[in-house]
Amino acid sequence: MDMNPETTLSALRDFCAERVGVELATRLVGLARPGFALTAAGPGEAAGHSRFGGRAMLEPGTPWPTCEGFPLSLLAVLDTDALAPWLGGLLPPGTGLLNFFCLDFESEQRDPVADALMGKFIGNDPQVVRVIAARSAHAVETDPPSGSSVFAPVQWAASAGFAFPDTWDPAWDHLDLGPEADDKARAMPGMYIADLFPEWGQRPGALDSEDIAFGRPVYPTGSGPWMPGGEDPNVYHHLLQLSGQDEWWIGGDGGWMHWSIPTDALRAGDFSRAIPTPDIW
């Protein structure tokens, strides 16, 4: 994290203004959300306790999450104590560790019961995931119950930056493109912006990773976030994108897992309202 958020946003706004002018650049940067590129950590690089796999970090007495009584599997831990300074007050103070659980129905470790459950619950059903917070000073590594998979831990380094909506994300529909944009641009604003910035990947604060904390989700299938009951995805905030690991995948041949949460619940620290928004192919 070489720069603070304000410095990075200023550099990002200047980068955009050189190509589309100050007014559109200011509106465009308004869509950027702070996040982190997650990569395997070298010695001394880990972002606190952030990691893929391993055992859950829960406060003593916390019930293990289940789907119809069958235990979910711990997929990741995010240490928000290490990440919060970049997030600008998005999280309540003292949020601590976030444990990300999901029903394991794909890995070689999966229990046959999980296969039966996935015949009943599709991958974007809220019952197949859970996010549980634990205060860092109280959290302890917790052994899972029988049936829950345990994946080899990979500590994460976290590189801070800002994420923009994916090409087909409905968040683009709220961007005022200005009077120069034609009807085609207004119909496909994400594509229009991409065409204006052939060097978009070189922008300040770009998150260059398939695994991302916070920020915004990426959907390689060319789709966008699906929300239960047709809710507006713009009132949700992205928590974690997990592209897959050697031991775990979602969706058979591939697929990326996402956890999202209503922004008001995130600011209140109510992680019981987190939902899955996977991209499966």
Side-chain angles (χ1 to χ4, degrees):
M1 305 180 190
D2 296 328
M3 297 185 289
N4 62 42
E6 291 75 18
T7 302
T8 302
L9 276 177
S10 179
L12 179 59
R13 191 176 298 107
D14 290 343
F15 172 90
C16 295
E18 290 175 0
R19 292 148 181 85
V20 298
V22 173
E23 291 187 5
L24 179 53
T26 299
R27 296 193 294 272
L28 178 58
V29 171
L31 291 178
R33 287 182 173 177
F36 302 86
L38 302 173
T39 56
E45 293 179 346
H49 296 284
S50 299
R51 55 173 161 79
F52 168 80
R55 283 170 167 73
M57 298 285 292
L58 301 175
E59 296 187 29
T62 301
W64 193 273
T66 64
C67 176
E68 291 206 338
F70 183 79
L72 303 182
S73 297
L74 187 280
L75 290 184
V77 175
L78 288 180
D79 189 338
T80 69
D81 292 339
L83 306 180
W86 188 264
L87 296 175
L90 183 65
L91 296 167
T95 295
L97 307 176
L98 296 181
N99 294 266
F100 290 81
F101 294 89
C102 186
L103 181 66
D104 175 20
F105 62 96
E106 288 291 342
S107 83
E108 293 182 357
Q109 298 186 47
R110 71 185 183 276
D111 189 290
V113 175
D115 288 332
L117 284 172
M118 283 312 299
K120 180 178 181 180
F121 296 102
I122 58 176
N124 53 19
D125 191 299
Q127 296 188 64
V128 305
V129 303
R130 206 82 80 249
V131 177
I132 298 179
R135 293 169 295 176
S136 299
H138 300 268
V140 294
E141 284 203 354
T142 305
D143 290 330
S146 176
S148 180
S149 302
V150 180
F151 302 104
V154 177
Q155 288 188 310
W156 274 325
S159 300
F162 287 88
F164 282 86
D166 203 21
T167 303
W168 301 107
D169 193 307
W172 288 115
D173 298 336
H174 294 265
L175 176 65
D176 179 3
L177 297 174
E180 297 82 9
D182 56 22
D183 290 341
K184 181 179 179 180
R186 298 182 192 285
M188 297 184 291
M191 290 290 293
Y192 174 71
I193 292 296
D195 289 342
L196 293 178
F197 292 91
E199 69 282 64
W200 186 237
Q202 305 303 313
R203 69 189 182 277
L207 299 179
D208 185 16
S209 176
E210 293 182 347
D211 298 325
I212 293 176
F214 300 98
R216 290 185 181 273
V218 177
Y219 288 84
T221 60
S223 61
W226 181 93
M227 298 298 173
E231 289 185 89
D232 181 2
N234 291 298
V235 302
Y236 278 74
H237 205 97
H238 186 241
L239 289 174
L240 179 65
Q241 171 178 303
L242 195 59
S243 63
Q245 305 287 333
D246 292 340
E247 295 186 84
W248 175 84
W249 293 89
I250 184 173
D253 291 337
W256 288 10
M257 185 62 194
H258 301 277
W259 289 258
S260 298
I261 188 171
T263 301
D264 64 338
L266 177 60
R267 293 188 180 280
D270 181 7
F271 293 97
S272 68
R273 294 173 62 191
I275 62 170
T277 53
D279 189 37
I280 300 174
W281 62 85

